[in-house]
Amino acid sequence: MTIHWCGTGLSAVPGLRRLLADGQPVVVWNLTIAAAAAVVGDLARDIRVYETEALSAALCPGDVVVSMLPSDMHAGLARLALAARAHFVCSSYATPELRALDAAARAAGVAIVAEMGLDPGIDHMMAHDLVAAYRASAAYDAENTISFTSFCGGVPARPNAFRYKFSWSPIGVLKALGAPSRSIRHFAVLAVARPWEAITRFDAPLPVPETFEVYPNRDSLPFIAEYGFDPKWPVKNFVRGTIRLMGWAEAWAPVFAELESLTGPGRDARLSALSNELWAANAYAADEPDRAVLVVSLKAEREGRAVWHQSWALDAVGDLRGSAMARLVSGPAAMAAESLQLREFPAGVQGVPADQRLLARWLGQVQPLAQYMARRDHLQVRRNTPSSASSSEISSAFSPSSR
């Protein structure tokens, strides 16, 4: 059973190197052999030029295809894997094109696994773990009011005036800012046409408390069922969103104004030009550390009083191992490839499963990728004295709910 890892770009290398260092049977596919050899040549024994025909000819039933290529190529690669009765993994969202392959994947007995990255990916692991912990707690009651938040983002480890830096072309960020979102705020659906219309402050439970700016993105509502919420639970707040440094909204105000004004046939050309301007002024320098922050929280209230409130928090910074974002995006993809080799996924199209055994192992493997990662019981911390509060956090850190 061979792992076919496609792509050795900026976000792909740490997970790939881990598989190679562990002695997994890996074939590395990349547009150029030289570029792949520059980052994994010391470990990889088999590097090939990426061509769909060559990859198709090399696939055998039971193999695993990992796509770290652009997201618009995932569906084609998944179909290629499916035709060979091979499994498929990617780190980005399960698109309608991927979901349309579910029946065929089930019939073929193969798994098509999406959303195995940072966000989406690690955030899903944390959410499933919190929901399982809440359901198993003495505080659980189907009538409790539930609030859920999940905020993730890449931010510069060394803040700049623009309050953001780019690892690759800004065009993707600019297009995302034009996408509407849906979430739940105070029991009602909040539909936002532009993210900057819903920016709020957020206090992250990090070792050194820090306040960020956050906003909802995409459509959060389908994840209410995805995370195993009982349909009877009264949901007060539910949002999956993006985290940014304080001052981001003010620094980006001219960008927002221009995005609002972009209409007509010249829109795409101006968007491309704006992307180039932002890249020239705010790209990461060589070897400059990036930072990734993720906080997932679940709170249950009864009669306005919190009866259960826990959060996962992760803070990672680029170091000698490479960028924080690359470690956290490619690491889960590698974990999924290993789990597929062990036949730990059922057939069909899916994201992160709620399997507590898998979650415990994966969260434990994620922990070394970050400088800080812990699950905090906020109510226990409040009850304890300052000297014992830190120990209550450490006891819950790195210990998913299956303990």
Side-chain angles (χ1 to χ4, degrees), residues 314-372:
L314 176 153
D315 194 353
V317 177
D319 55 25
L320 293 176
R321 298 170 293 174
S323 83
M325 192 65 69
R327 295 198 305 268
L328 296 167
V329 170
S330 63
M335 296 172 201
E338 291 172 328
S339 289
L340 283 166
Q341 288 183 312
L342 297 172
R343 296 178 174 83
E344 292 178 321
F345 282 99
V349 178
Q350 59 211 279
V352 173
D355 184 298
Q356 289 301 294
R357 180 176 57 87
L358 279 179
L359 291 175
R361 188 173 80 228
W362 287 345
L363 286 168
Q365 291 174 347
V366 168
Q367 183 272 323
L369 304 179
Q371 278 78 7
Y372 173 81

Side-chain angles (χ1 to χ4, degrees), residues 293-317:
V293 179
L294 168 63
V295 181
V296 182
S297 178
L298 181 69
K299 179 166 69 173
E301 297 176 293
R302 185 179 303 134
E303 298 178 353
R305 180 179 63 86
V307 295
W308 197 92
H309 186 194
Q310 293 192 17
S311 297
W312 276 102
L314 176 153
D315 194 353
V317 177

Side-chain angles (χ1 to χ4, degrees), residues 71-93:
S71 59
D72 59 0
M73 300 178 69
H74 291 338
L77 269 174
R79 287 191 289 269
L80 198 73
L82 181 58
R85 293 184 176 270
H87 306 290
F88 174 82
V89 177
C90 70
S91 61
S92 54
Y93 280 97

Side-chain angles (χ1 to χ4, degrees), residues 187-232:
F187 301 103
V189 174
L190 175 67
V192 178
R194 302 178 180 91
W196 59 86
E197 296 173 352
I199 295 172
T200 57
R201 293 166 59 98
F202 173 69
D203 297 322
L206 299 174
V208 177
E210 188 171 351
T211 302
F212 295 90
E213 293 178 348
V214 295
Y215 59 86
N217 63 17
R218 297 181 176 263
D219 187 354
S220 297
L221 272 57
F223 291 92
I224 296 175
E226 183 78 16
Y227 292 158
F229 280 38
D230 190 309
K232 298 178 181 178

Side-chain angles (χ1 to χ4, degrees), residues 142-148 183-191 221 224 231-239 299-305:
E143 296 183 359
N144 289 340
T145 297
I146 303 298
S147 291
F148 174 88
S183 55
I184 294 179
R185 182 181 293 180
H186 300 302
F187 301 103
V189 174
L190 175 67
L221 272 57
I224 296 175
K232 298 178 181 178
W233 291 356
V235 179
K236 179 180 180 180
N237 299 296
F238 190 99
V239 59
K299 179 166 69 173
E301 297 176 293
R302 185 179 303 134
E303 298 178 353
R305 180 179 63 86

